[in-house]
Amino acid sequence: MFHSVHVRFDKPLCRNIVLAATVVLALGPSVAMAQSGQDIVLAPHRAVYEIELAETRGGSSISNMTGRMVYELTGSSCAGYTQSMRFVTRVSSQEGSPTISDLRSSSWEDVLAKSFRFSSTQYKDSKLEDTTDGDAKREDPKGDIKVEITKPAKKEISLKRNTYFPVQHSMALLEAARQGERTFAADLYDGSEKGEKVYSTMSFIGIPNAPGYNKTLKPVENTGQLDKLKSWPVSISYFELGADHKDSLPSYELAFLYFENGISRQLFIDYGDFSVRGNLKSLTMLEPQRCQPVR
């Protein structure tokens, strides 16, 4: 998908904004959702996306944006999944002054969504601006999620038990798509905003594309196996937690084409005053991590 991860970067002269690469759909409020999708297997891979400015609107301070995002998913359905990302953008303001933002993040999550470890560093013009590290555990399926944040400062927080981790959301999206679902609401926690942010989301899954649809898209090396897979157009609106989805404007909206093995193409993110597009430029399939035999 685009992808089981959440990417955050700075926009000069404005507030921090979030580029969501996270699929945040859910079928239910507990770990049972992850368990119901255990037969879903995400394909380990490395994908490179070229980022470009799609449109600016009134009030935007951005005149141009270019960038690249490298995303990697490793692991397996038995060993858990590790997500690593580096996202670099060069943003020019209306005054013409460019700013380079560099986000590096990694996380590990077990398939049953009982444990989630996250780490990220944010650089602006090669200077370190932010570091976040933490560990979230769902020890009691009927209790709250306990989060221990170690950076930027030690802190413990609790999340509602129906909050979803990124890989759990990815599997939920695929399960929802396979079941023919069209709309879902879910809360997402991915360790962003110093490990304290939870987003409320409303997601929509479009009519599926039959296998072979990838052949109609711009050719990209090593994407041939996507020709055999179904895909779905997906759009997600991200809201502040507690916001009314009918009356409130989302913080941003994300759209993409999602294949049934967890790989995505045709990214589009709308922040209101500007929007960006992400085009898949290269794809490398990786070997799944081997499962250790039970002794």
Side-chain angles (χ1 to χ4, degrees):
M1 63 179 213
F2 174 46
H3 314 293
S4 312
V5 71
H6 186 82
V7 184
R8 182 169 56 87
F9 67 97
D10 284 339
K11 184 178 73 173
L13 307 180
C14 296
R15 69 190 186 284
N16 283 348
I17 58 178
V18 182
L19 174 59
T22 315
V23 172
V24 267
L25 297 177
L27 295 182
S30 69
V31 181
M33 178 56 245
Q35 293 173 338
S36 71
Q38 283 186 39
D39 59 331
I40 293 174
V41 177
L42 303 178
H45 66 282
R46 182 184 302 110
V48 178
Y49 298 86
E50 294 291 343
I51 306 297
E52 63 181 8
L53 184 66
E55 183 183 5
T56 60
R57 305 180 184 93
S60 174
S61 63
I62 292 180
S63 62
N64 192 29
M65 176 187 292
T66 58
R68 173 171 291 191
M69 180 175 68
V70 180
Y71 168 80
E72 184 174 287
L73 177 74
T74 58
S76 66
S77 58
C78 59
Y81 290 100
T82 296
Q83 299 179 101
S84 301
M85 179 177 292
R86 186 171 184 184
F87 187 48
V88 180
T89 58
R90 180 184 176 91
V91 183
S92 297
S93 67
Q94 296 292 351
E95 290 74 24
S97 56
T99 298
I100 297 177
S101 179
D102 183 354
L103 172 69
R104 307 169 192 184
S105 66
S106 64
S107 64
W108 176 86
E109 184 178 337
D110 74 287
V111 177
L112 294 181
K114 292 182 178 180
S115 183
F116 172 55
R117 298 194 297 267
F118 55 91
S119 176
S120 67
T121 54
Q122 177 80 54
Y123 294 85
K124 185 176 180 180
D125 293 332
S126 300
K127 295 181 180 180
L128 179 63
E129 284 209 328
D130 184 45
T131 300
T132 301
D133 288 296
D135 191 350
K137 293 185 180 298
R138 198 188 309 262
E139 297 176 347
D140 180 359
K142 297 182 180 180
D144 290 344
I145 299 170
K146 305 299 182 182
V147 182
E148 293 186 3
I149 302 170
T150 55
K151 293 181 181 180
K154 290 186 177 181
K155 187 175 183 179
E156 294 185 4
I157 62 175
S158 294
L159 308 176
K160 293 181 179 180
R161 67 183 182 89
N162 62 344
T163 303
Y164 278 69
F165 300 148
V167 170
Q168 182 187 14
H169 283 204
S170 302
M171 298 174 73
L173 171 62
L174 288 173
E175 182 69 15
R178 294 196 314 184
Q179 296 298 324
E181 301 290 346
R182 290 293 174 257
T183 62
F184 292 95
D187 294 342
L188 167 71
Y189 179 78
D190 64 358
S192 61
E193 300 298 327
K194 303 184 186 300
E196 300 181 30
K197 189 72 171 182
V198 177
Y199 274 101
S200 175
T201 70
M202 179 60 70
S203 306
F204 302 87
I205 305 173
I207 297 173
N209 300 303
Y213 182 76
N214 186 64
K215 294 181 180 180
T216 69
L217 306 178
K218 183 177 180 179
V220 175
E221 188 176 0
N222 297 326
T223 59
Q225 68 173 270
L226 300 181
D227 297 345
K228 304 176 183 179
L229 303 177
K230 292 173 63 176
S231 61
W232 294 265
V234 175
S235 64
I236 308 171
S237 296
Y238 291 74
F239 298 86
E240 293 296 317
L241 194 64
D244 187 331
H245 294 180
K246 294 182 179 179
D247 299 327
S248 301
L249 292 176
S251 299
Y252 56 89
E253 296 178 289
L254 165 68
F256 55 97
L257 181 66
Y258 193 31
F259 288 86
E260 57 185 320
N261 64 349
I263 295 176
S264 61
R265 300 190 62 171
Q266 297 181 321
L267 317 178
F268 187 84
I269 308 97
D270 190 342
Y271 293 102
D273 57 349
F274 74 98
S275 57
V276 298
R277 183 178 293 109
N279 299 308
L280 181 64
K281 289 299 182 181
S282 69
L283 178 67
T284 302
M285 305 307 297
L286 305 175
E287 288 294 326
Q289 183 177 342
R290 292 185 178 181
C291 300
Q292 296 296 326
V294 178
R295 298 180 181 275

